[in-house]
C-alpha cells in the first residue's frame, strides 16, 4: 500500500488526538488520558515545543472505513543521557488496526531513527507494557533491548500532591 | 550547612563532568560514560539545549577535601506524556559523599519540581537502579511511585548498529 510519512502540522492535532484515544483504548487505559486536542496544539506547535510528531497518511482511495486518511502517528522528543549524550525518546507509536502488517509502524519508527541520528543522537528510547507481547516481539526483532530487564532499571514517577509537596520542600510527605 | 542551589552555567561544565564521572563510579559503570566535558558544553549551553542543569554550591570555608565548592548537581530535560501532557525528566541527581545527609539532594530535586510545575508539567519522571536501595527508599519517602512495578513498564533501547539499520529501513536486522 502507498503511504506517506511526514512531519505533523498544527492541522493534524485533531487526528493525533483521535489516535491517542484509540491507542489508550487498545492499552485499556483510556480513563488515564487527561489532555485535550488543544493541549497538543499548544504543547507541540508553539515556540519551544515539548514534543515533535510525524504522521502516516494514505491516499483518498485508501481511506479507512470511518473515512480517515491519517492512519498512524508517532510522538517523540529529544532527551539526554549523561553517559551517552543526545538521545531521542519515542513516546507513542501507533497504526490503526486495519492498516497494520503493511510496514507503516516500522516506517514511522525508522523516520524517528533518521531524525534522531541527524540530530546527533546515539540512542532511541521508549517504553512498552509487558503484556503487549506483539509490540515487544516487534521491537526485539529490530535489535532493541530491554533496559528494565538488562540493567534492572526502575522507572519512577512523582505527580499530583507529592510533586507539589516536593516543590514546596516539605520536610515529609 | 549553608549551600546555594542555582542554575548551571557554561563555566560549571568542568565540575558537572567531574561529578558525572563520580556518579558513574558509584553506580559501577564508569566505562559506560562516552561523553566529554565539551559535549556537555555543546549539548547543554547552545541554542535549543538538549538538557538543563542546576548546581549545589557551598561557601569557600566549606570546600571539600579536594578543594571543590560545587558539591552536587542535577541534570534534567522537559518531556511529554500523551496521556498527561508536559513532564520533566530528571536524568541525574548527585551529591558528593561528604555532603550527603544535609538535605542537598532533596533541595536539588525540589528545585526541579518547582521549575517543572512553573513550566506546566504534571509529572517528574526518573529511573533508579534496583540495587540502589538507599536512593529508592529516599524517592519512595518523597511520595514517588515505581512505574516499572506498578504498570509493568519495560524501558527499551535501540542504539549503535541496530539504530543505524532502523534508520536505513533494512528489512531485517
Amino acid at each position: 500500500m502507498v503511504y506517506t510519512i511526514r512531519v505533523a502540522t498544527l492541522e493534524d492535532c485533531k487526528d493525533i488526538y483521535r489516535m491517542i484515544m484509540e491507542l489508550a483504548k487498545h492499552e485499556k487505559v483510556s480513563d488515564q488520558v487527561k489532555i485535550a486536542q488543544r493541549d497538543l496544539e499548544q504543547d507541540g506547535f508553539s515556540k519551544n515545543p515539548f514534543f515533535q510528531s510525524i504522521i502516516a497518511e494514505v491516499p483518498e482511495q485508501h481511506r479507512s472505513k470511518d473515512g480517515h486518511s491519517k492512519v498512524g502517528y508517532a510522538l517523540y522528543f529529544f532527551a539526554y543521557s549523561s553517559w551517552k549524550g543526545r538521545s531521542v525518546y519515542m513516546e507513542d507509536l501507533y497504526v490503526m488496526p486495519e492498516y497494520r502488517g503493511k510496514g507503516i509502524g516500522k516506517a514511522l519508527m525508522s523516520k524517528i531513527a533518521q531524525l534522531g541520528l541527524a540530530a546527533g543522537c546515539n540512542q532511541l528510547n521508549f517504553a512498552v507494557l509487558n503484556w503487549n507481547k506483539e509490540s515487544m516481539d516487534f521491537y526485539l526483532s529490530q535489535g532493541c533491548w530491554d533496559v528494565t530487564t538488562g540493567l534492572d532499571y526502575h522507572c519512577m514517577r512523582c505527580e499530583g500532591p507529592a510533586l507539589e509537596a516536593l516543590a514546596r520542600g516539605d520536610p515529609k510527605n
Side-chain angles (χ1 to χ4, degrees), chain A:
Chain A
M1 181 181 287
V2 179
Y3 58 86
T4 314
I5 306 291
R6 61 168 175 79
V7 172
T9 68
L10 183 66
E11 289 66 37
D12 295 314
C13 285
K14 185 180 171 187
D15 284 276
I16 295 173
Y17 184 69
R18 166 181 60 82
M19 290 189 279
I20 284 175
M21 293 308 297
E22 287 177 23
L23 175 56
K25 272 180 205 151
H26 173 69
E27 291 184 329
K28 303 161 190 164
V29 287
S30 48
D31 61 320
Q32 293 287 319
V33 180
K34 303 297 181 197
I35 64 160
Q37 181 184 328
R38 186 175 170 77
D39 295 308
L40 293 176
E41 292 166 356
Q42 288 185 344
D43 298 340
F45 298 91
S46 53
K47 198 168 176 288
N48 302 321
F50 280 73
F51 68 85
Q52 316 284 328
S53 48
I54 53 177
I55 286 277
E57 195 163 27
V58 294
E60 290 291 316
Q61 66 271 28
H62 294 302
R63 278 179 181 268
S64 74
K65 281 176 280 183
D66 297 337
H68 299 298
S69 58
K70 297 166 188 177
V71 302
Y73 80 101
L75 197 148
Y76 68 98
F77 50 81
F78 291 105
Y80 205 72
S81 157
S82 56
W83 298 355
K84 303 291 177 69
R86 302 178 185 190
S87 72
V88 56
Y89 189 90
M90 182 172 72
E91 168 70 12
D92 279 351
L93 176 65
Y94 178 74
V95 177
M96 290 172 69
E98 61 188 284
Y99 294 90
R100 291 184 194 160
K102 301 175 195 307
I104 299 178
K106 177 160 176 179
L108 284 164
M109 195 171 172
S110 177
K111 185 71 179 179
I112 294 181
Q114 286 167 30
L115 293 163
L117 286 172
C121 298
N122 301 304
Q123 291 182 335
L124 167 61
N125 291 299
F126 53 100
V128 63
L129 290 160
N130 198 36
W131 61 258
N132 195 349
K133 192 169 177 325
E134 195 181 350
S135 294
M136 182 68 98
D137 287 346
F138 167 69
Y139 294 131
L140 293 173
S141 78
Q142 300 303 309
C144 306
W145 61 284
D146 185 335
V147 183
T148 297
T149 307
L151 294 182
D152 210 357
Y153 248 52
H154 282 239
C155 302
M156 303 289 293
R157 180 166 297 164
C158 190
E159 59 191 339
L163 184 59
E164 284 162 24
L166 185 63
R168 281 194 306 270
D170 287 358
K172 290 268 181 198
N173 288 323

Coordinates of all heavy atoms in Angstrom, one line a residue, chain A residues 137-172:
Chain A
D137 N 7.8 -8.2 20.8 CA 8.5 -9.0 19.8 C 9.0 -8.2 18.6 O 10.0 -8.4 18.1 CB 7.5 -10.2 19.4 CG 7.4 -11.2 20.5 OD1 8.1 -11.2 21.4 OD2 6.4 -12.0 20.3
F138 N 8.1 -7.3 18.2 CA 8.5 -6.4 17.0 C 9.8 -5.6 17.4 O 10.7 -5.6 16.6 CB 7.4 -5.5 16.7 CG 7.8 -4.4 15.7 CD1 8.1 -4.7 14.4 CD2 7.8 -3.1 16.2 CE1 8.5 -3.6 13.6 CE2 8.3 -2.1 15.3 CZ 8.6 -2.3 14.0
Y139 N 9.8 -5.0 18.6 CA 10.9 -4.2 18.9 C 12.2 -5.0 19.1 O 13.3 -4.6 18.6 CB 10.6 -3.4 20.2 CG 9.5 -2.4 20.1 CD1 8.5 -2.4 21.0 CD2 9.5 -1.5 19.1 CE1 7.5 -1.4 20.9 CE2 8.5 -0.5 19.0 CZ 7.5 -0.5 19.9 OH 6.5 0.4 19.8
L140 N 12.0 -6.2 19.7 CA 13.2 -7.1 19.8 C 13.7 -7.5 18.5 O 14.9 -7.6 18.3 CB 12.9 -8.3 20.7 CG 12.6 -8.0 22.2 CD1 12.1 -9.2 22.9 CD2 13.8 -7.4 22.9
S141 N 12.8 -7.7 17.5 CA 13.2 -8.2 16.2 C 14.0 -7.1 15.5 O 14.7 -7.3 14.5 CB 12.0 -8.6 15.3 OG 11.3 -7.4 14.9
Q142 N 13.8 -5.8 15.9 CA 14.5 -4.7 15.3 C 15.9 -4.4 16.0 O 16.5 -3.4 15.8 CB 13.6 -3.4 15.4 CG 12.3 -3.6 14.6 CD 12.5 -3.9 13.2 OE1 13.3 -3.3 12.5 NE2 11.8 -5.0 12.7
G143 N 16.3 -5.3 16.9 CA 17.6 -5.1 17.6 C 17.5 -4.2 18.8 O 18.5 -3.9 19.4
C144 N 16.3 -3.9 19.3 CA 16.2 -3.1 20.5 C 16.4 -4.1 21.7 O 16.2 -5.3 21.6 CB 14.8 -2.5 20.7 SG 14.3 -1.5 19.2
W145 N 16.8 -3.5 22.8 CA 17.0 -4.4 24.0 C 16.2 -3.8 25.2 O 15.8 -2.6 25.2 CB 18.4 -4.6 24.3 CG 19.3 -3.5 24.7 CD1 19.8 -2.5 23.8 CD2 19.7 -3.1 25.9 NE1 20.5 -1.6 24.4 CE2 20.5 -1.9 25.8 CE3 19.6 -3.6 27.2 CZ2 21.1 -1.2 26.8 CZ3 20.2 -2.9 28.3 CH2 21.0 -1.8 28.1
D146 N 15.9 -4.7 26.2 CA 15.1 -4.4 27.3 C 16.0 -3.9 28.5 O 16.6 -4.6 29.1 CB 14.3 -5.7 27.7 CG 13.3 -5.4 28.8 OD1 13.5 -4.5 29.6 OD2 12.4 -6.2 28.9
V147 N 16.0 -2.6 28.7 CA 16.8 -1.9 29.7 C 16.4 -2.3 31.1 O 17.2 -2.5 32.0 CB 16.8 -0.4 29.5 CG1 17.8 0.2 30.5 CG2 17.2 0.0 28.1
T148 N 15.0 -2.5 31.2 CA 14.5 -2.8 32.6 C 15.0 -4.2 33.0 O 15.5 -4.3 34.1 CB 13.0 -2.9 32.5 OG1 12.5 -1.5 32.2 CG2 12.4 -3.3 33.8
T149 N 15.0 -5.1 32.1 CA 15.5 -6.5 32.5 C 17.0 -6.5 32.5 O 17.6 -7.1 33.4 CB 15.0 -7.5 31.4 OG1 13.6 -7.4 31.3 CG2 15.3 -8.9 31.9
G150 N 17.6 -5.8 31.5 CA 19.1 -5.9 31.3 C 19.9 -5.2 32.4 O 20.9 -5.7 32.8
L151 N 19.4 -4.1 32.9 CA 20.1 -3.3 33.9 C 19.4 -3.2 35.2 O 19.9 -2.6 36.2 CB 20.4 -1.9 33.4 CG 21.3 -1.7 32.2 CD1 21.4 -0.2 31.9 CD2 22.6 -2.3 32.5
D152 N 18.2 -3.9 35.3 CA 17.3 -3.8 36.5 C 17.0 -2.3 36.8 O 17.1 -1.9 38.0 CB 18.0 -4.5 37.7 CG 16.9 -5.0 38.6 OD1 15.7 -4.8 38.4 OD2 17.3 -5.7 39.6
Y153 N 16.6 -1.6 35.8 CA 16.2 -0.2 35.9 C 14.8 -0.1 36.3 O 13.9 -0.9 35.9 CB 16.3 0.4 34.5 CG 17.3 1.4 34.3 CD1 18.6 1.2 34.6 CD2 16.9 2.7 33.7 CE1 19.6 2.2 34.4 CE2 17.9 3.7 33.5 CZ 19.2 3.4 33.9 OH 20.1 4.4 33.6
H154 N 14.5 0.8 37.2 CA 13.1 1.0 37.6 C 12.7 2.5 37.2 O 13.4 3.4 37.6 CB 12.8 0.8 39.1 CG 12.7 -0.7 39.4 ND1 11.6 -1.3 39.9 CD2 13.6 -1.7 39.1 CE1 11.8 -2.6 40.1 NE2 13.0 -2.9 39.6
C155 N 11.6 2.6 36.5 CA 11.1 3.9 36.1 C 10.3 4.4 37.3 O 9.5 3.7 37.8 CB 10.2 3.9 34.9 SG 11.0 3.3 33.5
M156 N 10.6 5.6 37.8 CA 9.9 6.2 39.0 C 9.2 7.5 38.5 O 9.6 8.1 37.6 CB 11.0 6.6 40.0 CG 11.8 5.4 40.5 SD 11.0 4.2 41.5 CE 10.6 5.2 43.0
R157 N 8.1 7.8 39.3 CA 7.3 9.0 38.9 C 6.9 9.7 40.2 O 6.5 9.0 41.2 CB 6.1 8.5 38.1 CG 5.2 9.6 37.7 CD 4.2 9.1 36.7 NE 4.9 8.7 35.5 CZ 4.4 7.9 34.5 NH1 3.2 7.5 34.6 NH2 5.2 7.6 33.4
C158 N 6.9 11.0 40.1 CA 6.3 11.8 41.2 C 5.3 12.7 40.5 O 5.6 13.4 39.5 CB 7.4 12.7 41.8 SG 6.9 13.5 43.3
E159 N 4.1 12.8 41.1 CA 3.0 13.6 40.4 C 2.0 14.0 41.5 O 2.0 13.5 42.6 CB 2.3 12.8 39.3 CG 1.7 11.5 39.7 CD 1.3 10.6 38.5 OE1 1.1 11.1 37.4 OE2 1.2 9.4 38.7
G160 N 1.1 14.9 41.1 CA 0.0 15.3 41.9 C 0.5 16.0 43.2 O 1.5 16.7 43.2
P161 N -0.2 15.7 44.3 CA 0.1 16.3 45.6 C 1.6 16.0 46.0 O 2.2 16.9 46.6 CB -0.8 15.6 46.6 CG -2.0 15.2 45.8 CD -1.4 14.8 44.4
A162 N 2.2 14.8 45.7 CA 3.5 14.5 46.0 C 4.5 15.5 45.3 O 5.5 15.9 45.9 CB 3.9 13.1 45.7
L163 N 4.2 15.8 44.1 CA 5.1 16.7 43.3 C 5.0 18.1 43.9 O 6.0 18.8 44.0 CB 4.6 16.7 41.8 CG 5.5 17.6 40.8 CD1 6.9 17.1 40.8 CD2 4.9 17.5 39.4
E164 N 3.8 18.5 44.3 CA 3.6 19.9 44.8 C 4.3 20.0 46.2 O 5.0 21.0 46.5 CB 2.1 20.2 45.0 CG 1.5 20.6 43.6 CD 0.0 20.5 43.6 OE1 -0.6 20.6 44.7 OE2 -0.6 20.3 42.5
A165 N 4.2 18.9 47.0 CA 4.9 18.9 48.3 C 6.4 19.0 48.1 O 7.1 19.7 48.8 CB 4.5 17.7 49.1
L166 N 6.9 18.2 47.1 CA 8.4 18.2 46.8 C 8.8 19.6 46.4 O 9.9 20.1 46.8 CB 8.6 17.2 45.7 CG 10.1 17.0 45.3 CD1 10.9 16.4 46.5 CD2 10.2 16.0 44.1
A167 N 8.0 20.3 45.6 CA 8.3 21.7 45.1 C 8.4 22.6 46.3 O 9.2 23.6 46.3 CB 7.4 22.1 44.1
R168 N 7.5 22.4 47.3 CA 7.4 23.3 48.4 C 8.6 23.0 49.4 O 8.9 23.8 50.3 CB 6.1 23.1 49.2 CG 4.9 23.8 48.6 CD 3.8 23.8 49.6 NE 3.4 22.5 50.1 CZ 2.5 21.7 49.6 NH1 1.9 22.0 48.5 NH2 2.3 20.5 50.1
G169 N 9.2 21.9 49.2 CA 10.3 21.5 50.2 C 9.8 21.0 51.5 O 10.5 21.2 52.5
D170 N 8.6 20.5 51.6 CA 8.0 20.0 52.8 C 9.0 19.0 53.4 O 9.5 18.1 52.7 CB 6.7 19.3 52.6 CG 5.6 20.3 52.3 OD1 5.8 21.5 52.3 OD2 4.4 19.9 52.1
P171 N 9.2 19.0 54.8 CA 10.1 18.1 55.4 C 9.7 16.6 55.2 O 10.6 15.8 55.0 CB 10.1 18.5 56.9 CG 9.0 19.5 57.0 CD 8.6 20.0 55.7
K172 N 8.4 16.3 55.2 CA 7.9 15.0 55.0 C 6.7 15.1 54.1 O 5.9 16.0 54.3 CB 7.6 14.3 56.3 CG 8.7 13.9 57.2 CD 9.2 12.5 56.9 CE 10.4 12.2 57.9 NZ 11.2 11.1 57.4

